[in-house]
Amino acid sequence: MNHWIDFVIVFLRSWLLCQCISNFVGSPSHLIQQDFNDSKVLRRQKRDWVIPPINVPENSRGPFPQMLVSIRSDQDRNISIRYSITGVGADQPPNEVFSIDPVAGKMFVTKPLDRERRSSYHLRAHAVNMNGERVESPIDLYIYVIDMNDNRPEFKNQVYNGSVDEGSKPGTFVMHLAAFDNDDNTTANGMVRYRILSQTPHSPIPNMFTINSETGDIVTVAAGLDREKVSQYSIIVQATDMEGNLNFGLSNTATAIISVTDINDNPPELTSRTFSGEVPENRVNVVVANLTVIDRDQPHSPNWNAVYRIISGDPIGHFTIITDQHTNDGMVTVVKPVDFEQNRAFMLTVVVNNQAPLASGIQSSLQSTSGVTISVVDINEPPYFPTNPKSIRFEEGVPAGTSLTTFSASDPDRFMQQSIRYSKLADPADWLSINNTNGQIITTATLDRESIYVKNNIYEATFLAVDNGSPMASGTGTLQIYLIDVNDNAPSLLPRESQICERINRNAGINITAADTDTDPNVGPFVFELPTFPASIRRNWTVSRLNGDYARLSLRTQYLEPGVYEVPVIVTDSGNPPLSNRSIIKVKVCPCDENGDCTLVGAVAAAGLGTGAIIAILICIIILLSMVLVFVLWMKRREKERQTKQLLIDPEDDVRDNILKYDEEGGGEEDQDYDLSQLQQPDSLEHIISKPPGVRRVDERPIIPESQYPIRPVVPHPGDIGDFINEGLRAADNDPTAPPYDSLLVFDYEGSGSTVGSVSSLNSSSTGDQDYDYLNDWGPRFKKLADMYGGGDDE
């Protein structure tokens, strides 16, 4: 029924609009004449250029051009008039939308109009004569485009996202949707209305939401939103123009995704009423039990994160519960060590809550509380010394074998039958021993407070206690022995050496004191005195007390011969009984200047040397320096002579007679094979003569250009080694430029079966005959040589 009423209303409105347009076009105006197949021409007496607005429907189907209005001037009876229009749509872009018959004055629209592109036009009509002179003032033409329903509503997005808390009450705002229609929103063409087409899923009812048809606001209709059952809804929303008329209006749809936001409406629930675990005693930072929990709220959110608390059973705070961020489990962890001998088990009561508080009206579950039983496992604990470190006091000098104390340990494992054995771990001075069963400490040497191992009168030793458990455990203890000082060290005099002027004066004297390794009251004040023997000590010296620790040693006579004097002084401490020490101080008596300081000459004189001895020492020093100078000059002169001496080589640098090798005899002659051709004369000596300057053996003949002496003959062919050597000897004897020695090479091996004759028959022509009879006197080793050379002719 409503649809028919809407249809009738729309029809009536359209009919009335058409009637108005018809009346306006067909009615007479002041300056308009219309010819709709009517022969009558209405002529107005007034010449007013005023035309009411012209309404043109958009999207007209034509035919085009379609006349809109006729413009005529009453002067057209007398003269010819030309009509024209100007403005946007005529002679300005968009051009040629409107046109006019310049003679008849009829204005036409040439194409369909689009209100969404341009809703109105403002033109001006002109009337001029044939000369172009204006005969009428320009007239304003207002053309309005009438809207038609030619645009659907459009959503900006196809999918919209919104959210609503679970458990929300009916009427709770969820989200807003809006569609835009390009048609005129002052008419039904642009009036959009909304409605929900569908909801997915339908749980708990199909219509959980509704939408305001005019504003597009979506709100809840019913209660029962539960994220744990339905976490998201999908809604199809339709937007229709013509005020929602489904018969005449145009529609479009969009999707609204509504997420149900989690609230903490599910308290965490422990999966068991009891949990259990165990922990070794004396262990920390270990997980001893694992608590599991169920929570149906959003995982990894404050509504789901579990927080565990121990509400009873752990008054001292041995345990804490850490939440696993991934699994939400509770890890019972030991933070303070537990002792089996004190607590064999713990009964804990644990409660769990969420990080966020429960929503209003939600009660905590009884399953959020459980009991946790923690059993303590007994392990073998190390023995411990009840007093550690233990301090005792004894006088130093306690002899070896003295029992000092009993340093025993206790075993904390009261429920285990175990024994403890003791041993020494650290004893710097090796003064102590310990009984391995009862811990009795006995000295093995005399205790000395002045030892380097004693610090601040305290001697420390460390001992080890080991039980026989499985596995064995051990503990350490420190014994501190405070050594009380006794007067067992005599004082010693300070300083050991000093000097004083030979003549007594007012300020002359030496301040002396004493050092004592003991401590109060076995040190100062000290008593200083001179011995009675020898008598010269008290005759020449005197000691006067300055205070408890210092005294002054000074001359008693007016003058004392310079020199070094050993003055004995007896020093006595204040111990009970006191100890004395006879110490020697070396005093250097010397002449002094006006300031009371020893002069350099005086210091030397004080050392025991007279003036004559000093002069003799100076003369010796001068003579020694002169000898060094003469030696240096002689060495420089000798070096100069060596440089100017015209020799091929310095005889001292000749290594042929200086280097001897005795430790190599070589192998036998019969087991070695040598190339004897190397001992024969080469074909030519050009390889010797052609050597570059500066590269030459010391026993080679120097190469002299244009020598005036005959060159040594060159054997054209290899010959015997004997001939070669003879030629070399003759050349050397007749060559005045040869070195002043024979250039004979010594070979330690001649080979076996050599074709070379004996060299024993070779003689240097530069020497005379030799008498070798004396070889008979050298023993049997030289008998063969004596037979060969001595007492007979050459063979």
Side-chain angles (χ1 to χ4, degrees):
M1 185 66 181
N2 292 332
H3 294 165
W4 284 106
I5 293 173
D6 293 339
F7 173 74
V8 172
I9 292 173
V10 172
F11 176 77
L12 290 176
R13 286 180 178 177
S14 300
W15 183 81
L16 290 175
L17 180 61
C18 292
Q19 290 296 322
C20 292
I21 295 173
S22 252
N23 293 335
F24 171 74
V25 173
S27 63
S29 68
H30 295 86
L31 297 177
I32 302 176
Q33 294 180 353
Q34 295 178 336
D35 294 332
F36 293 100
N37 298 324
D38 191 354
S39 59
K40 291 185 178 180
V41 175
L42 299 179
R43 298 184 181 275
R44 304 289 300 181
Q45 297 297 323
K46 291 185 178 180
R47 299 170 56 247
D48 295 333
W49 280 88
V50 177
I51 297 179
I54 303 171
N55 295 318
V56 180
E58 67 171 335
N59 301 324
S60 175
R61 295 183 178 180
F64 296 101
Q66 182 180 4
M67 192 186 76
L68 298 179
V69 67
S70 180
I71 302 172
R72 298 294 299 273
S73 173
D74 56 0
Q75 297 188 29
D76 60 354
R77 292 174 297 177
N78 302 321
I79 59 175
S80 297
I81 297 177
R82 294 293 183 264
Y83 300 96
S84 64
I85 57 176
T86 60
V88 176
D91 60 346
Q92 298 178 18
N95 299 57
E96 299 180 353
V97 176
F98 302 96
S99 63
I100 190 170
D101 187 339
V103 177
K106 294 180 180 181
M107 189 178 75
F108 300 91
V109 58
T110 62
K111 62 180 66 175
L113 301 182
D114 187 358
R115 192 202 69 85
E116 286 72 40
R117 184 172 296 177
R118 191 174 185 86
S119 61
S120 64
Y121 297 87
H122 179 202
L123 304 177
R124 303 197 79 180
H126 306 274
V128 297
N129 58 19
M130 298 302 292
N131 295 326
E133 296 175 351
R134 187 174 66 180
V135 296
E136 296 285 355
S137 298
I139 185 174
D140 290 324
L141 299 176
Y142 293 96
I143 302 170
Y144 294 102
V145 183
I146 299 174
D147 181 49
M148 302 296 288
N149 189 20
D150 59 344
N151 291 279
R152 293 179 179 274
E154 296 289 342
F155 288 97
K156 183 178 180 180
N157 301 315
Q158 285 301 310
V159 178
Y160 291 83
N161 293 301
S163 62
V164 61
D165 290 341
E166 63 175 329
S168 296
K169 297 179 180 179
T172 302
F173 174 79
V174 179
M175 60 186 302
H176 171 76
L177 276 75
F180 178 76
D181 196 323
N182 288 326
D183 292 328
D184 189 359
N185 57 8
T186 62
T187 67
N189 297 334
M191 294 181 181
V192 180
R193 297 295 181 264
Y194 304 92
R195 71 191 187 107
I196 295 176
L197 295 182
S198 65
Q199 167 192 308
T200 305
H202 293 171
S203 176
I205 60 174
N207 300 316
M208 287 295 296
F209 305 93
T210 186
I211 187 170
N212 188 305
S213 62
E214 295 184 2
T215 62
D217 292 338
I218 299 177
V219 296
T220 59
V221 176
L225 291 174
D226 189 353
R227 189 204 66 84
E228 287 71 43
K229 294 180 179 179
V230 178
S231 61
Q232 189 178 83
Y233 290 90
S234 177
I235 296 176
I236 306 298
V237 178
Q238 183 184 55
T240 307
D241 58 13
M242 296 300 290
E243 298 181 301
N245 191 312
L246 299 178
N247 293 324
F248 303 101
L250 302 176
S251 301
N252 216 334
T253 60
T255 302
I257 304 298
I258 301 175
S259 299
V260 181
T261 306
D262 181 54
I263 64 173
N264 193 11
D265 57 345
N266 292 281
E269 299 178 358
L270 291 162
T271 58
S272 176
R273 298 295 296 170
T274 58
F275 295 89
S276 63
E278 64 178 19
V279 55
E281 62 175 335
N282 301 322
R283 295 282 300 277
V284 294
N285 298 326
V286 294
V287 177
V288 298
N290 195 67
L291 313 180
T292 55
V293 70
I294 296 176
D295 196 324
R296 291 185 294 273
D297 288 323
Q298 175 99 27
H300 306 291
S301 68
N303 300 329
W304 179 81
N305 295 336
V307 178
Y308 299 86
R309 291 184 298 113
I310 299 174
I311 59 177
S312 66
D314 186 22
I316 303 180
H318 289 286
F319 304 94
T320 188
I321 304 178
I322 302 173
T323 303
D324 189 315
Q325 300 299 324
H326 300 286
T327 62
N328 218 23
D329 293 345
M331 298 177 292
V332 182
T333 308
V334 183
V335 292
K336 291 183 180 179
V338 296
D339 190 355
F340 176 82
E341 285 69 32
Q342 295 181 358
N343 294 292
R344 297 190 180 185
F346 291 87
M347 301 295 296
L348 309 179
T349 302
V350 176
V351 64
V352 60
N353 297 301
N354 286 128
Q355 187 176 351
L358 288 174
S360 177
I362 305 299
Q363 299 296 326
S364 178
S365 172
L366 295 177
Q367 291 183 332
S368 62
T369 303
S370 293
V372 182
T373 302
I374 305 297
S375 300
V376 182
V377 179
D378 189 21
I379 62 173
N380 185 26
E381 299 176 83
Y384 69 95
F385 291 87
T387 304
N388 191 15
K390 181 177 182 179
S391 299
I392 59 176
R393 295 172 63 91
F394 272 90
E395 285 189 352
E396 66 171 328
V398 173
T402 302
S403 176
L404 299 181
T405 185
T406 299
F407 196 29
S408 59
S410 300
D411 193 344
D413 298 312
R414 299 192 303 270
F415 302 100
M416 298 182 182
Q417 299 297 326
Q418 298 178 151
S419 61
I420 300 176
R421 298 187 68 83
Y422 302 92
S423 62
K424 188 168 60 173
L425 189 62
D427 183 11
D430 199 19
W431 287 345
L432 307 174
S433 65
I434 185 170
N435 189 292
N436 58 7
T437 57
N438 59 17
Q440 185 179 14
I441 306 297
I442 299 175
T443 61
T444 58
T446 303
L447 305 184
D448 185 8
R449 191 197 67 84
E450 288 75 35
S451 171
I452 60 174
Y453 302 106
V454 178
K455 308 297 181 184
N456 298 324
N457 300 330
I458 296 176
Y459 179 75
E460 282 190 356
T462 305
F463 299 92
L464 185 68
V466 183
D467 62 19
N468 60 346
S470 178
M472 294 189 298
S474 62
T476 60
T478 301
L479 179 65
Q480 294 180 340
I481 306 174
Y482 184 89
L483 295 177
I484 303 172
D485 183 49
V486 297
N487 194 21
D488 56 347
N489 293 278
S492 59
L493 186 67
L494 294 176
R496 293 292 186 176
E497 296 180 359
S498 186
Q499 62 184 18
I500 194 172
C501 296
E502 62 183 354
R503 297 186 182 275
I504 191 171
N505 57 54
R506 182 179 59 184
N507 297 323
I510 302 169
N511 291 337
I512 58 176
T513 185
D516 198 330
T517 56
D518 291 325
T519 185
D520 287 333
N522 299 318
V523 287
F526 299 103
V527 176
F528 302 90
E529 57 183 349
L530 297 175
T532 58
F533 182 82
S536 59
I537 298 301
R538 293 199 172 188
R539 182 171 61 250
N540 295 331
W541 305 90
T542 181
V543 174
S544 58
R545 177 185 175 88
L546 296 178
N547 53 38
D549 294 328
Y550 287 90
R552 171 168 290 185
L553 177 65
S554 56
L555 287 174
R556 180 184 294 274
T557 60
Q558 294 296 325
Y559 172 79
L560 189 63
E561 184 70 23
V564 178
Y565 296 86
E566 293 184 353
V567 181
V569 178
I570 299 175
V571 185
T572 306
D573 60 22
S574 299
N576 186 17
L579 294 180
S580 299
N581 184 24
R582 180 187 175 99
S583 301
I584 300 295
I585 178 173
K586 292 183 178 181
V587 181
K588 184 185 297 182
V589 179
C590 58
C592 298
D593 55 15
E594 60 275 7
N595 296 324
D597 299 326
C598 283
T599 60
L600 179 60
V601 177
V604 174
L609 299 178
T611 303
I614 295 173
I615 295 174
I617 292 174
L618 294 176
I619 293 174
C620 292
I621 293 174
I622 293 172
I623 293 173
L624 180 61
L625 293 176
S626 300
M627 293 175 63
V628 171
L629 181 61
V630 170
F631 178 75
V632 170
L633 293 175
W634 178 79
M635 289 296 293
K636 288 185 176 181
R637 182 176 179 182
R638 185 172 180 274
E639 182 67 23
K640 186 176 181 181
E641 291 177 352
R642 288 179 58 188
Q643 294 178 357
T644 56
K645 189 173 182 180
Q646 298 297 325
L647 289 177
L648 180 62
I649 186 169
D650 194 335
E652 293 182 2
D653 296 333
D654 187 7
V655 298
R656 292 176 301 172
D657 296 334
N658 297 335
I659 299 177
L660 302 177
K661 189 171 184 180
Y662 299 99
D663 59 349
E664 180 176 341
E665 297 180 356
E669 295 181 357
E670 300 298 335
D671 61 355
Q672 299 186 22
D673 187 12
Y674 289 94
D675 185 7
L676 299 180
S677 63
Q678 299 297 327
L679 298 178
Q680 297 176 350
Q681 182 180 2
D683 294 339
S684 175
L685 299 178
E686 293 178 359
H687 68 286
I688 299 177
I689 301 174
S690 61
K691 285 188 178 180
V695 181
R696 183 175 299 279
R697 286 173 42 184
V698 297
D699 57 348
E700 287 182 353
R701 175 182 176 181
I703 299 174
I704 301 176
E706 299 179 359
S707 175
Q708 57 182 344
Y709 301 100
I711 301 176
R712 299 176 183 179
V714 178
V715 180
H717 299 286
D720 291 339
I721 193 65
D723 297 336
F724 174 74
I725 294 176
N726 287 328
E727 287 294 332
L729 287 175
R730 285 194 298 271
D733 293 337
N734 298 323
D735 188 359
T737 63
Y741 43 77
D742 292 338
S743 300
L744 296 180
L745 300 180
V746 179
F747 296 91
D748 58 354
Y749 176 71
E750 295 181 357
S752 61
S754 176
T755 58
V756 181
S758 175
V759 297
S760 60
S761 60
L762 300 180
N763 294 319
S764 177
S765 59
S766 60
T767 58
D769 295 335
Q770 297 289 334
D771 184 8
Y772 297 101
D773 294 336
Y774 58 87
L775 294 176
N776 294 317
D777 301 331
W778 286 12
R781 292 177 180 271
F782 294 92
K783 187 177 187 305
K784 183 64 176 177
L785 291 176
D787 294 339
M788 293 174 60
Y789 296 98
D793 298 332
D794 296 340
E795 296 179 358

